Amino acid sequence: MSRQRIVALLAALVAVVGLAVLVPMASTASAATCAAPWNSSSVYTGGMAASYNGHNWSAKWWTQGETPGAADVWADQGGCDGSSGGTGGTTGGSGGCNYPAWAAGRSYVAGDIVQYTNGLFYVATHDNPGYDPTISTWYWSPYTCTGGGTGGTTPPPSGGFVVTEAQFDQIFPNRNSFYTYSGLTAALSAYPGFATTGSDTVRKQEAAAFLANVDHETGGLVYVVEQNTANYPTYCDWSQSYGCPAGQAAYYGRGPIQLSWNFNYKAAGDALGIDLLDNPNLVQTDAAVSWKTGLWYWNTQTGPGTMTPHNAMVNGAGFGETIRSINGSIECNGGNPAEVQDRVNDYQSITSILGVPAGGNLSC
């Protein structure tokens, strides 16, 4: 057989084989079917799937209210065909409630309405560069949508704080009268996910963890301000462009988590819609503002840790991780075991009062 004929036969064979393999390859290129849409009020545990923004996502561990793609609890499983599962709520519901999802860092003007990841709606009361509606309560207000439902989501549990006033008084029998229970409950609206996420046990454990750290920081809610006045001038970081307008010694520790440093007063104030940089004394004169600064740190700051105290408790990392996020660089890993144990003792005492187990990973 001539060389030319052999080449021709091989070319024909390749063409036939190529046709044979091209057909099934084309059928496997289609996207996977979308899982059920992600729901901000649903609880997902490790391995459970949900669709969001045209992708399927798999939960790595327990989660509720954490948006796929924005939280590392979700693993992206790739694009999916929305014909069965949809995109998981990229817009705010249906009908007259078809408002866009809130996006961090996107500029909003007063009057804009968005749907937050908790499934609820918020209206901008002041122009803002994308502040979180559940944190920046001066810039956003809750909005009741009556035009067509809320997209199938369920609001967070209601019925008040998981710690009753009687329990609060039992936990802090010698507290300073400044730290009122009403001040605490008034502050809760700034962070609707606090002590409302997960099971009843998880909610009470988070409340206990917060109050235990507060107990330790304030000597049982006795101290409103830092007692070592010699430290007061040290909390001004002049490298910040805004400096210390209230004075060199104005940013000492105040409140239930002892908020300190000018940059923390600035950050907390911006998040809460309160000018704390120019008016730091509000943290020691207004009980609700004081409690809000404690909740701001708890829900939004990782400190020297790797997660916020809120995430540590609702995602099962344990009380020890809340210590790491608050003062871990000084106390954890053998730094000051006595201080760590005092926090643990407080936590165990409070969980006993609330009637829930303390859980694991208590120390850091």
Side-chain angles (χ1 to χ4, degrees), residues 19-105:
L19 287 172
V21 296
L22 281 175
V23 174
M25 285 181 67
S27 66
T28 58
S30 61
T33 300
C34 285
W38 172 75
N39 188 316
S40 62
S41 64
S42 296
V43 172
Y44 298 89
T45 56
M48 293 181 67
S51 62
Y52 186 78
N53 276 350
H55 280 233
N56 277 330
W57 303 81
S58 177
K60 299 177 184 178
W61 53 79
W62 190 100
T63 179
Q64 182 182 38
E66 294 178 288
T67 310
D72 62 6
V73 66
W74 290 99
D76 190 350
Q77 302 299 307
C80 63
D81 179 359
S83 60
S84 298
T87 57
T90 57
T91 62
S94 60
C97 294
N98 190 27
Y99 296 111
W102 169 80

Side-chain angles (χ1 to χ4, degrees), residues 32-204:
T33 300
C34 285
W38 172 75
N39 188 316
S40 62
S41 64
S42 296
V43 172
Y44 298 89
T45 56
M48 293 181 67
S51 62
Y52 186 78
N53 276 350
H55 280 233
N56 277 330
W57 303 81
S58 177
K60 299 177 184 178
W61 53 79
W62 190 100
T63 179
Q64 182 182 38
E66 294 178 288
T67 310
D72 62 6
V73 66
W74 290 99
D76 190 350
Q77 302 299 307
C80 63
D81 179 359
S83 60
S84 298
T87 57
T90 57
T91 62
S94 60
C97 294
N98 190 27
Y99 296 111
W102 169 80
R106 178 182 297 170
S107 294
Y108 294 96
V109 298
D112 282 349
I113 300 171
V114 297
Q115 185 180 23
Y116 191 59
T117 56
N118 59 9
L120 303 182
F121 296 91
Y122 296 84
V123 58
T125 49
H126 297 86
D127 296 356
N128 69 85
Y131 292 139
D132 188 313
T134 65
I135 296 175
S136 303
T137 54
W138 191 76
Y139 292 99
W140 296 94
S141 293
Y143 177 79
T144 301
C145 182
T146 58
T150 58
T153 59
T154 303
S158 59
F161 190 33
V162 293
V163 179
T164 68
E165 186 167 8
Q167 290 170 330
F168 181 77
D169 290 339
Q170 184 180 356
I171 294 167
F172 303 108
N174 302 310
R175 63 181 170 83
N176 189 305
S177 59
F178 170 76
Y179 291 113
T180 60
Y181 180 79
S182 60
L184 172 56
T185 55
L188 297 178
S189 62
Y191 296 92
F194 170 74
T196 64
T197 303
S199 67
D200 182 64
T201 294
V202 171
R203 297 197 295 269
K204 289 180 178 179

Side-chain angles (χ1 to χ4, degrees), residues 234-246 248 251 260-268 270 277:
T234 68
Y235 295 121
C236 176
D237 180 3
W238 286 107
S239 70
Q240 303 296 329
S241 61
Y242 43 78
C244 297
Q248 168 79 32
Y251 302 98
S260 55
W261 290 98
N262 56 328
F263 48 81
N264 280 327
Y265 278 85
K266 175 72 163 59
D270 286 350
L277 183 66

